[in-house]
Amino acid sequence: MAGKKRIVIVGAGPGGLTAGMILTHRGLDVTVVERLERPGGRNGPLVFDGFSFDIGPTFLMMKHILDKMFALAGHSSEDYLKFTRLSPMYRLHYEDRHLDVHDEDERMRAELARAFPGEERGLQPFMDRERKRFAYLWPCFEKDYSSFTRYFSRDFISAIPHFAIGRSVIDVLGDSFTDERAKLAFTFQAKYLGMSPWVCPGAFAIIAFFEHELGIYHVEGGLSRISEAMAEVVRRNGGSIRLSTEAKRVLFKGRRAVGVELADGTRLMADAVVLNADFGHAMTRLLPKGVAPYPSAKLKRKKYSCSTFMLYLGLDKDYGLPHHNIVFAKGYQKNVDAVFEGGVTEDDVSFYVRNASASDRTVSPPGKSQLYVLVPVPNRMVGRQDWKTLTPRLREKVLAQMEGRLGLKGLSEHIVAERMITPQQWEEDYNVFVGATFNLAHSLDQMLSLRPHNRLEKVKGVYIVGGGTHPGSGLPTIYESGRISADLLCEDLGVPVKG
Ligand SMILES: Cc1cc2nc3c(=O)[nH]c(=O)nc-3n(C[C@H](O)[C@H](O)[C@H](O)COP(=O)(O)OP(=O)(O)OC[C@H]3O[C@@H](n4cnc5c(N)ncnc54)[C@H](O)[C@@H]3O)c2cc1C
């Protein structure tokens, strides 16, 4: 390894692993340190009593971006992972009806006509408008904002009219649909960013577009398999991943990063450091005071996504639910507003249920099935809940609403294995700043060049990857953050960038 540039990556989440795969392929000497005993971070597995759950991500969108990252690392994702394109993509449960959402236009139009007669006429105009918006906006998500000229490039300037400035996704969908429930089918995706559809910038109407255009995928064994495959690529490319190894702080000489000190006192010297630990956590815990460009006071002024209350249920039967289910609270807007104002509407919550067993028999023991339940709740900056007392109560109420809204009769009696994660645990056990599981909010004032930069400003040799930097907090954008930061790092160290 003599002569090779040394890189330490803190965190083996999707961001750190993407950077690791690419940098090892470019010949750098990469060490990834990960505090947990397995790779993946929030995109890791939760294995207990014979069941294997995904901790976090369950929707793989824009699969071609994942494929691109494997290709940039000299591998093919298909050699490691078995993908299934889901049909229908998901079922939406309203108070008095449901809608199966398909990525084939004909089937989607028919389903809209069945559930919301007349609204099927909005589908084509929506797809046409958002296809155009996507073509203008996506290049802005792919590039870095490390200099004035890259910022004010021609593609950025021509994209400005397509940002729908001053309009929310709900406003934008009003151009295509009239029924509020039909609009929800194309705007609830704001929740992927941990935001309210009534606040989320209209530009994000492209999320529903690319679901319909490109589909949603499941990976056999769960989406955590993606992280395991990425870790394997890092190792095969010659990198090393040190699990159960916590970084304590980044070491500096002046304002230049020179390595990382581990919790056991070991020092790993490096030419550059990549931080994948949750952004707020990294800024407050891993960078020395006086050096961190985002001290606590500045971080407190930022806006954050909501948090999530999670239930992972192993069952002794299979209720036959579709793969992805989104259940809207009867008072959906009231429920969403409450979450962002710091409250929990316990008797009328919105929730998401994933029945992986619908498409994958490998994740549960024979004859059994599993349900992954996600309830959006306030993050710990706005919410003052005492999770010790709220947890058992909320669990009971959510199970009762699952029984009622999804027809899961006798659900409680069929639970044979169970785990939960509360906002407090996201913060304390997973190092997620203020328990905001989807990181910094995606308001216009926290996007593109206004989001924390991939090459950290005011210091040298520190690069950020993951949901807290540009372009954002879903898997495809996190993969792009790993690629963008890897390119910047190579540019700074004079390492040729391979195609
Ligand atoms: C419940 C939930 C559901 C989600 N669903 C989806 C979905 O369906 N689709 C989608 O695209 N996205 C989804 N996301 C969003 C996002 O894709 C994931 O959260 C993703 O895992 C974030 O990746 P990351 O690289 O930013 O951070 P992380 O996955 O959190 O990785 C950071 C890593 O850094 C490690 N670390 C932290 N501090 C240290 C330290 N001091 N030393 C060493 N290691 C450290 C952590 O242990 C962790 O492994 C979801 C998120 C959550 C929480």
XYZ file of all heavy atoms in Angstrom, residues 269-303:
265
model
N -4.040 7.508 10.602
C -3.633 8.709 9.860
C -4.143 8.605 8.421
O -4.264 7.513 7.876
C -2.112 8.886 9.893
C -1.536 8.920 11.310
S -2.495 9.910 12.496
C -2.089 11.561 11.994
N -4.493 9.752 7.822
C -5.088 9.714 6.483
C -4.807 10.996 5.721
O -4.523 12.049 6.315
C -6.599 9.508 6.602
N -4.905 10.899 4.388
C -4.782 12.085 3.533
C -6.118 12.813 3.418
O -6.151 13.988 3.052
C -4.292 11.670 2.142
C -2.897 11.060 2.215
O -1.944 11.817 2.427
O -2.786 9.821 2.112
N -7.197 12.091 3.679
C -8.526 12.720 3.664
C -9.479 11.870 4.491
O -9.267 10.665 4.660
C -9.042 12.840 2.233
N -10.514 12.536 5.008
C -11.499 11.849 5.850
C -12.884 12.071 5.259
O -13.233 13.191 4.873
C -11.453 12.409 7.300
C -12.579 11.825 8.148
C -10.094 12.134 7.946
N -13.648 10.977 5.169
C -15.026 11.060 4.676
C -15.953 10.765 5.862
O -15.795 9.740 6.520
C -15.275 10.023 3.549
C -16.726 10.065 3.081
C -14.322 10.265 2.371
N -16.898 11.674 6.112
C -17.810 11.483 7.249
C -19.187 11.049 6.766
O -19.856 11.777 6.040
C -17.937 12.783 8.052
C -16.662 13.281 8.735
C -16.934 14.586 9.480
C -16.112 12.228 9.706
N -19.591 9.844 7.193
C -20.919 9.321 6.865
C -21.807 9.275 8.111
O -23.006 9.047 8.019
C -20.793 7.913 6.262
C -22.121 7.269 5.907
O -22.300 6.060 6.041
N -23.083 8.045 5.459
N -21.225 9.498 9.288
C -22.046 9.559 10.503
C -23.098 10.641 10.281
O -22.854 11.604 9.539
C -21.156 9.893 11.692
N -24.273 10.476 10.891
C -25.358 11.444 10.724
C -24.802 12.872 10.859
O -24.007 13.157 11.752
C -26.406 11.178 11.804
C -27.617 12.050 11.647
O -28.499 11.686 10.860
O -27.662 13.113 12.307
N -25.245 13.764 9.962
C -24.615 15.074 9.835
C -24.506 15.833 11.178
O -23.421 16.264 11.574
C -25.373 15.926 8.805
C -24.796 17.291 8.641
C -23.600 17.462 7.972
C -25.428 18.394 9.187
C -23.028 18.718 7.850
C -24.874 19.659 9.066
C -23.669 19.820 8.394
N -25.644 15.991 11.865
C -25.631 16.762 13.119
C -24.734 16.113 14.154
O -24.021 16.784 14.911
N -24.758 14.781 14.170
C -23.914 14.038 15.111
C -22.437 14.281 14.774
O -21.622 14.578 15.656
C -24.246 12.548 15.038
C -23.335 11.703 15.854
N -23.523 11.499 17.206
C -22.202 11.040 15.518
C -22.550 10.737 17.661
N -21.724 10.445 16.665
N -22.097 14.183 13.497
C -20.692 14.354 13.086
C -20.200 15.761 13.429
O -19.080 15.935 13.927
C -20.551 14.093 11.585
N -21.045 16.763 13.161
C -20.607 18.145 13.392
C -20.402 18.433 14.879
O -19.482 19.155 15.258
C -21.640 19.134 12.818
C -21.738 19.119 11.316
S -20.167 19.448 10.480
C -19.840 17.871 9.711
N -21.271 17.857 15.728
C -21.178 18.181 17.162
C -20.225 17.258 17.913
O -19.647 17.657 18.916
C -22.569 18.100 17.831
O -23.185 16.858 17.441
C -23.466 19.249 17.397
N -20.052 16.015 17.427
C -19.263 15.051 18.208
C -17.905 14.719 17.613
O -17.007 14.306 18.324
C -20.027 13.730 18.368
C -21.400 13.864 18.989
C -21.275 14.158 20.495
N -22.589 14.273 21.096
C -23.316 13.245 21.518
N -22.838 12.037 21.435
N -24.494 13.439 22.050
N -17.778 14.841 16.290
C -16.537 14.346 15.681
C -15.561 15.451 15.288
O -14.390 15.180 15.036
C -16.858 13.475 14.450
C -17.674 12.201 14.727
C -17.938 11.435 13.445
C -16.944 11.297 15.722
N -16.065 16.686 15.201
C -15.166 17.783 14.836
C -14.908 18.645 16.065
O -15.837 18.945 16.819
C -15.790 18.637 13.729
C -16.029 17.936 12.385
C -16.610 18.903 11.376
C -14.739 17.330 11.833
N -13.656 19.051 16.284
C -13.358 19.858 17.470
C -14.069 21.213 17.416
O -14.282 21.764 16.332
C -11.840 20.050 17.399
C -11.354 19.313 16.226
C -12.494 18.783 15.452
N -14.435 21.708 18.602
C -15.044 23.049 18.661
C -14.054 24.049 18.061
O -12.860 23.902 18.196
C -15.306 23.435 20.116
C -16.499 22.740 20.722
C -16.999 23.494 21.962
C -18.256 22.840 22.498
N -18.025 21.528 23.125
N -14.565 25.041 17.384
C -13.674 26.043 16.798
C -13.296 25.670 15.373
O -12.936 26.520 14.576
N -13.367 24.363 15.057
C -13.058 23.918 13.692
C -14.359 23.623 12.947
O -14.497 23.910 11.764
C -12.160 22.648 13.727
C -12.027 22.031 12.343
C -10.780 23.002 14.268
N -15.356 23.078 13.677
C -16.611 22.657 13.027
C -17.319 23.859 12.414
O -17.615 24.828 13.108
C -17.519 21.992 14.056
N -17.585 23.804 11.097
C -18.297 24.929 10.475
C -19.765 25.001 10.896
O -20.421 25.996 10.657
C -18.183 24.639 8.968
C -17.525 23.336 8.814
C -17.211 22.764 10.154
N -20.267 23.929 11.523
C -21.666 23.929 11.993
C -21.692 23.656 13.501
O -21.975 22.542 13.931
C -22.483 22.867 11.265
C -22.686 23.174 9.802
C -21.761 22.757 8.856
C -23.804 23.886 9.364
C -21.938 23.046 7.512
C -23.987 24.175 8.025
C -23.048 23.754 7.106
O -23.232 24.039 5.774
N -21.392 24.654 14.331
C -21.474 24.439 15.777
C -22.940 24.257 16.202
O -23.854 24.527 15.416
C -20.889 25.725 16.356
C -21.015 26.739 15.274
C -21.033 26.014 13.968
N -23.149 23.820 17.452
C -24.507 23.496 17.929
C -25.507 24.606 17.659
O -26.631 24.363 17.226
C -24.480 23.212 19.422
O -23.694 22.098 19.643
N -25.104 25.868 17.911
C -26.044 26.987 17.765
C -26.544 27.066 16.321
O -27.736 27.291 16.074
C -25.369 28.288 18.168
N -25.638 26.850 15.364
C -26.026 26.924 13.954
C -26.923 25.730 13.582
O -27.890 25.875 12.834
C -24.747 26.911 13.104
C -24.931 27.458 11.705
C -23.567 27.684 11.067
C -23.672 27.963 9.592
N -22.376 28.056 8.934
N -26.599 24.570 14.140
C -27.411 23.378 13.843
C -28.829 23.540 14.376
O -29.782 23.057 13.771
C -26.772 22.140 14.475
C -25.560 21.578 13.743
C -24.928 20.466 14.561
C -25.933 21.043 12.361
N -28.953 24.227 15.520
C -30.299 24.405 16.111
C -31.177 25.281 15.231
O -32.399 25.212 15.297
C -30.175 25.019 17.515
C -29.812 24.004 18.548
C -30.011 24.518 19.962
C -29.499 23.478 20.943
N -28.522 23.970 21.884
N -30.561 26.103 14.392
C -31.368 26.976 13.518
C -31.816 26.258 12.242
O -32.602 26.775 11.476
C -30.559 28.235 13.148
C -30.344 29.185 14.335
C -29.923 30.565 13.852
N -28.629 30.572 13.198
C -27.455 30.676 13.829
N -27.419 30.785 15.146
N -26.317 30.677 13.158
N -31.301 25.066 12.018
C -31.685 24.308 10.810
C -33.052 23.647 11.015
O -33.506 23.469 12.139
C -30.648 23.209 10.527
C -29.272 23.752 10.222
C -29.013 23.718 8.748
C -27.781 24.459 8.358
N -27.927 25.304 7.200
N -33.663 23.268 9.871
C -34.947 22.543 9.957
C -34.677 21.056 9.739
O -33.832 20.697 8.913
C -35.898 23.035 8.863
C -36.320 24.477 9.070
C -37.132 24.953 7.876
C -36.820 26.399 7.581
N -36.615 26.699 6.194
